[in-house]
Amino acid sequence: MEPQELDAWAGAAARRLGVSLEPGDVSALLDLARDAAHGVTRPAAPLTAYIAGMAVGSGRTLEDVARELRVAIAEAAPGDGD
């Protein structure tokens, strides 16, 4: 799927659910999911995106949420001393 198609699909899905996406949200969420998949485990990607959505839905900014989740991902990464 091309980036434009993905943006279009995400916009349509968001409208169907009565929510809006800001410019850059799709790539920011995909980057966060990639970081979770590579830094924790692949199944962490959709779970991290869901958690991010819950936090944004409660009023936090995606930028703030992504920053906090990246800290959590870094702390969960293998080889961090655990």
Side-chain angles (χ1 to χ4, degrees):
M1 181 175 277
E2 295 293 321
Q4 309 90 305
E5 293 172 316
L6 187 56
D7 285 341
W9 180 87
R15 284 189 299 279
R16 179 173 288 270
L17 296 177
V19 298
S20 63
L21 290 171
E22 297 296 323
D25 282 356
V26 171
S27 62
L29 284 168
L30 291 174
D31 289 347
L32 182 60
R34 179 202 61 223
D35 293 346
H38 292 267
V40 182
T41 183
R42 287 188 69 178
L47 182 56
T48 300
Y50 176 79
I51 293 167
M54 296 288 291
V56 170
S58 73
R60 295 180 67 178
T61 67
L62 179 55
E63 182 180 1
D64 177 52
V65 168
R67 184 176 37 256
E68 290 294 324
L69 287 173
R70 282 194 173 89
V71 170
I73 291 165
E75 290 172 349
D80 67 357
D82 288 341

